[in-house]
Amino acid sequence: MTRFWIGGYGSDMEGDAEGIGILSVDEGRGPSTLRHRGTAAPVASPSWLAAHPTLDVVYAAQEGAGVVQAFARAGEAALRPLGGPLPAGDSVCHLAVSPGGRMLIASCYGDGRVVRFGIADDGALVPAGVDKAAALRAALFGDGGASGFFDTPGADTPDVGPDAGNRPTSGVSAPDVHRARDPHPLPAGEEPRVSHAHAAVFLPDGRIATTDLGFDLVRIWRASGAGLTVDHEVVLPRGTGPRHMVLHPSGHLHVVTEYSCEVFTLASARDGVWGLVSATTASPIAQIGVDFPAELAVSRDGDTLYTALRGSNTLAALRVRGGGEILEPFALADSGVDWPRHHLVYDGTLLVAGQRSGTVSVVDLDERTGAPRDVRHVTDAPTPTVILPAR
């Protein structure tokens, strides 16, 4: 039996999920047998899940509470807490684990924080260190050794974006140190923009890339003994809203944008500085202001990228050409769900989590072209937001 952990929004975020759930596929019978099997670990709104690379440990971002927590496998269909929840930041929405399993990066939508946690030998999380003075020095004067945990309060700012109704506001906006470095200053009299950290990816050289949806940035960080230090930034066109990323086998970094419905391709130069090499519309019929891309996934052979358009509730496929730097949209299909929040490639299909429909669909992929085709199967799941393969 193949199993998947599934995260979702609970009652604290106007959802129905009772914790980390479990999906299963009957052995030898294929994805059309996918079904929800109940709750593996009761926890409030585990909206994002990440796995340890070698241990049977799962990390959950509890978005409403602003905390992260580790869980260890306990039997076939259960998880037990591996230590208590640890504070991360307002609306923590994404987690990434280092390939060596020693570090976890948490991205916080509400206040723009990017937080580094250590991981112990057993997979338990080590609390993040906080060095406010070092963070401020680094932001203002370029001093090295800044902690990645920024905690400088700012003025009250309302939450924005297509998920705003599911994101609690805390009265604390982006740190002042981020505002001072806004690469797109607004005209006099307008309110400053707000930082929204949304995802992280570990790069082959050990550095970390993160998206800032509010400031239209991809930041490249270096980990140090004191936390995280910004190495450099890639400035994307204003108003695009970089959300999630995938590191392609070619070494290129593909970034999907929530507001402009595009996929940006970044590459690293010989000196290690990343830059923008191409921009591609996710789908020729995507409507800005109506469609909001969510996840970005890559096929096993690296030939195809898949993104989902919340709004039209479709799946868009893009061919990867050249050395990984050229993308061409070539197919669009019904996702089979309402508000496709997350998807992954599995056994010749896409599994798609429909946040608003409370369902997960199984969409066939064409064996020859990789294009999404018909909806093969749909199963109920409470307010799903992420699907993670179980060991």
Side-chain angles (χ1 to χ4, degrees), residues 149-291:
F149 197 117
F150 293 122
D151 193 24
T152 304
D156 293 352
T157 305
D159 204 4
V160 298
D163 291 330
N166 291 315
R167 301 186 188 279
T169 56
S170 68
V172 178
S173 66
D176 289 341
V177 291
H178 279 188
R179 286 182 185 157
R181 300 168 65 239
D182 184 352
H184 300 301
L186 295 172
E190 293 190 27
E191 291 297 323
R193 294 186 300 159
V194 177
S195 176
H196 291 306
H198 214 301
V201 167
F202 281 86
L203 301 173
D205 62 5
R207 291 181 297 174
I208 301 134
T210 66
T211 54
D212 191 320
L213 189 147
F215 279 169
D216 303 311
L217 293 173
V218 174
R219 289 190 175 91
I220 309 299
W221 304 80
R222 290 186 180 276
S224 66
L228 298 174
T229 303
V230 176
D231 187 277
H232 63 279
E233 297 173 337
V234 182
V235 180
L236 301 181
R238 183 170 178 165
T240 51
R243 180 181 170 95
H244 280 193
M245 301 174 285
V246 64
L247 186 64
H248 190 264
S250 65
H252 291 86
L253 187 64
H254 299 297
V255 185
V256 68
T257 62
E258 184 164 331
Y259 297 140
S260 65
C261 300
E262 295 174 282
V263 179
F264 288 106
T265 299
L266 279 58
S268 176
R270 291 184 178 179
D271 61 0
V273 176
W274 286 78
L276 179 63
V277 296
S278 68
T280 309
T281 300
S283 168
I285 67 171
Q287 299 183 61
I288 296 176
V290 174
D291 288 319

Side-chain angles (χ1 to χ4, degrees), residues 83-150:
L86 299 177
D90 184 9
S91 300
V92 56
C93 63
H94 188 275
L95 304 174
V97 182
S98 64
R102 287 297 184 179
M103 186 191 312
L104 179 141
I105 301 296
S107 299
C108 303
Y109 179 93
D111 53 23
R113 295 180 187 177
V114 173
V115 189
R116 186 184 75 166
F117 294 87
I119 298 177
D121 289 344
D122 64 352
L125 290 173
V126 178
V130 181
D131 185 348
K132 298 180 183 179
L136 188 59
R137 285 197 305 272
L140 297 180
F141 306 113
D143 186 12
S147 169
F149 197 117
F150 293 122

Side-chain angles (χ1 to χ4, degrees), residues 61-78:
Q62 300 174 44
E63 189 169 341
V67 300
V68 298
Q69 190 171 8
F71 295 85
R73 184 76 167 265
E76 290 298 312

Side-chain angles (χ1 to χ4, degrees), residues 29 36 54 80 165 189 192 227-228 294 309:
R29 296 181 60 193
H36 188 263
T54 58
R80 62 175 176 83
L228 298 174
L309 305 179

